[in-house]
Amino acid sequence: MELLSRGAPAEEYERPVLLARADGAGGEELAALERGKLLALRVRAELEGRRRREAELSALFETANDLAGLRDLDAVLHAIVQRARSLLGTEVAYLTLTDRKAGDTYMRVTEGSVSARFQQLRLGMGEGLGGLVTQTAMPYVTDNYFEDARFLHTRTIDAGVQEEGLVAILGVPLVLGTEVIGVLFAADRRARVFERGQIALLGSFAAHAAVAIDTANLLAETRAAFAELEAAKESIERSSEVHDRLTELVLHGGGVHEVASALSQVLNGRVEFCEAGDAPAGAAAQSRADGRAVRHGDDWVAAVSAGGEPLGALVLRDGPGLDPVDRRTLERAAMVTSLLLLARRFAGEAEQRVRGELLDDLLDAPDREPRLLRERAARLRADLDAPHVVLAARIDASAGAAGAGTEPERAADRQRLWSAASHLAATRQGLAAARDGGTVLLLPLGPSDTATGTARQVAGQLGAAVCAPVTVGASAPVDAPAARPGAVVAAYTEARRCLDALRAFGRSGEGAAADDFGFLGLLLGDARDIDGFVQRTVGPVVDYDARRGTDLVRTLDAYFACGMSPARTKDELHVHVNTVAQRLERVGRLLGPDWQSPARALEVQLALRLHRLSAGGG
């Protein structure tokens, strides 16, 4: 009883028997002592078993308590493996989980392991002791791993086990329903026999581990579902917000770029509106066919169209993966954009008709009351009291297929030209109308603008808009069309003549005014600006004579009269030939190096003759 009370080791229970035998005790006394020893050892074993079962139950209770307050799966699994190692008294314990996608198992938790290779092992199905446990869903134990032939040995697994130094291994399955999701192991680095109770204890820990994993998975799924619900709620709120903002934009006359800006804030990205020619063609076509926003590289594209006609696209740049609600928001914004574009087009066409009607009245009824003309122009934001230029434009039929073809094709070309000219006139606060198989424009001139520059600019812009050569003739500036409506009619006639001259000279697709044709401009224009022609042609020479008191004009007259011969000219002027050469060199610096070319020489002679006539000479 004394030995039991102080928990003496088993070998001390033999000492009373040995002492009695040494003292010469009789047989009956020795037999009684032997019976007492055996009973004490039996009681001791029973007490140790109860203490062990108490420790096991305590460990299982603590594990169940951990599961009840599960927050971190890793912490729970580590606790299970640690307790299994402690209660079974093994040097190592570890747990593997099944990877269904990879078709193998992998180390999840280790305790007591010292080998990095062992901690990173992956076991194929049916490989090693763990593979056998997974396949059979039964516990397996080996007293000596490397001498056991019941399971498949592989070089990788054996190398990891050998590096860890394991010999005796016990493995029990982690079972959920009928599925083995992993294996819990206890192992020693020496030969050992695992008792039935130890196998059952490790199985209990494995059951707890399976419950922990299942609980963690359920919690993860619950959290994911909750997160999805929260995301869906946020998406719906964002969708409602963008719907309200788009409605407000439409009601307040917002444009497509305002829609893109509002959408950028809602989708937390950069949304741009791209014209039909600038949008990604393939993605826009697919979106138009499917009626859905589509992925294009890192972007999202939602086509903007009406009646099958491509109008452009909304592009979400570098957009993350859109959830269904955000994707639908982008698609709904594309529909709103198409409605805004159609409304803008209808309003633009109505304004174009009004602008065309005002210009028609200026050309057909020049006797209209100027006040009424000014009022109508003011509603179109046009100022008919400022200087304007009249331009006649036409798609050149001789330039190729753009102007050739059947009458419906030519009519389509004229319609495209009128639409492009009307848009140009609206942006420059001018007027445009379809007339005489082409288009006529009345555009304001800025302080630094010229008729020639405006004609060339308009020819380039209209040609780019209709994708065909457009020839443009310009009139001389009209100071105030509202005050002098009749001047607009004359200016249109002059612009038409310039247009015809350009086409006759093979300069289709260009723009020019009467001034660009030299002395022919006197024939094309109604104003007969003789002084302007003289000034443009020989004005620098006349001005030089006036400032310096030289005689360059008379030298030029004599030079042309003498057949452009310096020798004969010096006789005519009674000067030295070097003087003639010096004067002609000065003329070249004033008029340019090509002044003696046939075309320039003809214009210079005509300008000199007109200068003499205007000065009262013969």
Side-chain angles (χ1 to χ4, degrees):
M1 293 297 292
E2 179 187 355
L3 291 174
L4 287 172
S5 66
R6 60 185 179 87
E11 55 269 19
E12 290 193 24
Y13 286 81
E14 189 67 29
R15 182 176 299 176
V17 178
L18 295 176
L19 291 175
R21 187 176 287 116
D23 292 340
E28 292 183 4
E29 183 179 354
L30 290 174
L33 286 173
E34 189 67 31
R35 286 195 300 274
K37 181 192 74 171
L38 294 176
L39 287 173
L41 288 173
R42 191 176 303 144
V43 171
R44 179 180 181 278
E46 182 67 23
L47 290 175
E48 287 184 350
R50 290 184 178 183
R51 283 197 295 269
R52 185 171 62 252
R53 285 193 294 275
E54 181 180 351
E56 292 172 355
L57 289 173
S58 176
L60 292 174
F61 175 79
E62 290 174 359
T63 302
N65 188 55
D66 289 341
L67 291 177
L70 178 65
R71 290 294 181 270
D72 183 356
L73 177 62
D74 284 339
V76 174
L77 293 182
H78 273 97
I80 290 173
V81 172
Q82 288 172 352
R83 289 165 187 157
R85 178 192 176 203
S86 174
L87 289 176
L88 269 68
T90 59
E91 295 173 288
V92 181
Y94 52 98
L95 183 148
T96 63
L97 291 181
T98 301
D99 187 341
R100 293 298 177 189
K101 292 183 179 179
D104 60 7
T105 61
Y106 63 96
M107 286 288 182
R108 182 68 165 79
V109 180
T110 63
E111 178 69 22
S113 171
V114 295
S115 167
R117 176 184 293 185
F118 180 78
Q119 294 167 14
Q120 297 172 5
L121 275 180
R122 296 188 75 96
L123 292 70
M125 293 299 183
E127 296 177 354
L129 179 65
L132 184 61
V133 174
T134 302
Q135 279 188 330
T136 61
M138 296 290 292
Y140 272 88
V141 62
T142 178
D143 298 337
N144 193 319
Y145 175 85
F146 290 99
E147 295 180 1
D148 198 328
R150 290 176 300 167
F151 46 84
L152 177 63
H153 289 266
T154 69
R155 181 178 301 177
T156 302
I157 299 175
D158 285 358
V161 174
Q162 186 174 18
E163 186 172 298
E164 189 64 56
L166 301 182
V167 176
I169 302 176
L170 166 63
V172 295
L174 278 67
V175 182
L176 276 180
T178 59
E179 180 183 6
V180 178
I181 63 170
V183 179
L184 179 61
F185 296 88
D188 263 335
R189 296 185 176 94
R190 55 184 173 80
R192 169 178 176 167
V193 176
F194 288 96
E195 301 175 357
R196 291 178 180 270
Q198 293 174 321
I199 297 174
L201 176 62
L202 193 63
S204 298
F205 279 113
H208 281 303
V211 172
I213 293 170
D214 187 41
T215 303
N217 290 337
L218 290 175
L219 285 174
E221 291 174 2
T222 302
R223 293 191 185 104
F226 183 75
E228 289 178 1
L229 288 174
E230 285 292 322
K233 178 183 176 183
E234 291 178 2
S235 296
I236 292 173
E237 290 176 351
R238 289 199 306 272
S239 178
S240 176
E241 177 187 352
V242 76
H243 180 270
D244 293 342
R245 296 186 66 175
L246 293 179
T247 301
E248 184 178 356
L249 281 173
V250 172
L251 293 177
H252 288 80
V256 294
H257 297 293
E258 285 81 358
V259 171
S261 176
L263 200 60
S264 297
Q265 298 175 19
V266 174
L267 298 182
N268 297 321
R270 182 165 56 91
V271 180
E272 297 177 355
F273 171 74
C274 296
E275 299 287 349
D278 299 328
Q286 181 183 349
S287 174
R288 198 161 50 249
D290 299 342
R292 302 296 307 276
V294 300
R295 193 76 164 165
H296 177 67
D298 294 331
D299 303 334
W300 283 90
V301 178
V304 177
S305 61
E309 178 189 358
L311 302 177
L314 287 179
V315 180
L316 174 59
R317 301 292 186 188
D318 302 324
L322 293 182
D323 60 35
V325 176
D326 283 346
R327 186 176 179 184
R328 183 58 183 157
T329 297
L330 180 60
E331 294 161 359
R332 185 177 293 111
M335 294 177 60
V336 172
T337 303
S338 65
L339 292 176
L340 286 176
L341 289 175
L342 287 177
R344 187 175 68 179
R345 174 186 292 181
F346 294 148
E349 290 177 353
E351 182 177 324
Q352 289 171 4
R353 286 193 295 271
V354 174
R355 290 180 183 274
E357 291 170 358
L358 177 54
L359 183 52
D360 283 335
D361 286 347
L362 286 170
L363 294 173
D364 297 334
D367 55 347
R368 290 291 181 98
E369 171 64 35
R371 181 181 58 82
L372 297 178
L373 294 175
R374 290 188 179 94
E375 291 177 357
R376 293 170 61 186
R379 288 194 290 269
L380 298 170
R381 300 179 301 281
D383 180 10
L384 294 185
D385 287 319
H388 282 66
V389 63
V390 178
L391 304 112
R394 183 177 295 174
I395 294 180
D396 184 30
S398 63
T406 64
E407 178 55 34
E409 291 173 339
R410 291 193 294 271
D413 287 340
R414 291 193 294 270
Q415 177 64 32
R416 288 190 296 120
L417 178 61
W418 173 77
S419 296
S422 298
H423 176 71
L424 177 62
T427 58
R428 297 186 58 168
Q429 298 181 345
L431 306 175
R435 203 170 187 86
D436 299 324
T439 301
V440 56
L441 299 95
L442 180 66
L443 299 181
L445 285 176
S448 60
D449 292 339
T450 63
T452 297
T454 303
R456 292 173 180 171
Q457 184 182 47
V458 169
Q461 292 175 333
L462 294 182
V466 302
C467 301
V470 176
T471 308
V472 177
S475 71
V478 179
D479 291 336
R484 299 171 53 232
V488 178
V489 179
Y492 176 55
T493 302
E494 181 179 338
R496 284 286 308 279
R497 289 174 183 168
C498 289
L499 171 62
D500 293 339
L502 283 170
R503 300 178 70 195
F505 292 150
R507 295 173 58 184
S508 298
E510 298 183 23
D515 292 347
D516 300 309
F517 292 93
F519 71 91
L520 290 177
L522 298 176
L523 305 177
L524 298 174
D526 286 338
R528 302 292 190 265
D529 184 14
I530 294 175
D531 291 339
F533 172 72
V534 172
Q535 181 61 34
R536 289 191 301 271
T537 308
V538 295
V541 176
V542 174
D543 293 341
Y544 190 86
D545 279 351
R547 291 196 310 272
R548 303 292 183 90
T550 54
D551 211 10
L552 298 182
V553 172
R554 193 165 71 89
T555 301
L556 277 177
D557 278 331
Y559 180 66
F560 285 117
C562 294
M564 301 176 69
S565 169
R568 293 170 59 190
T569 303
K570 61 99 174 172
D571 294 336
E572 177 70 21
L573 297 175
H574 305 290
V575 296
H576 194 276
V577 69
N578 290 340
T579 301
V580 174
Q582 291 171 1
R583 292 179 180 179
L584 294 180
E585 182 181 355
R586 173 66 62 182
V587 169
R589 288 199 294 269
L590 293 172
L591 299 184
D594 64 337
W595 70 275
Q596 297 187 71
S597 64
R600 286 290 306 280
L602 178 61
E603 291 188 356
V604 170
Q605 292 178 69
L606 179 58
L608 290 171
R609 177 66 60 87
L610 293 173
H611 175 63
R612 287 199 306 273
L613 292 173
S614 63

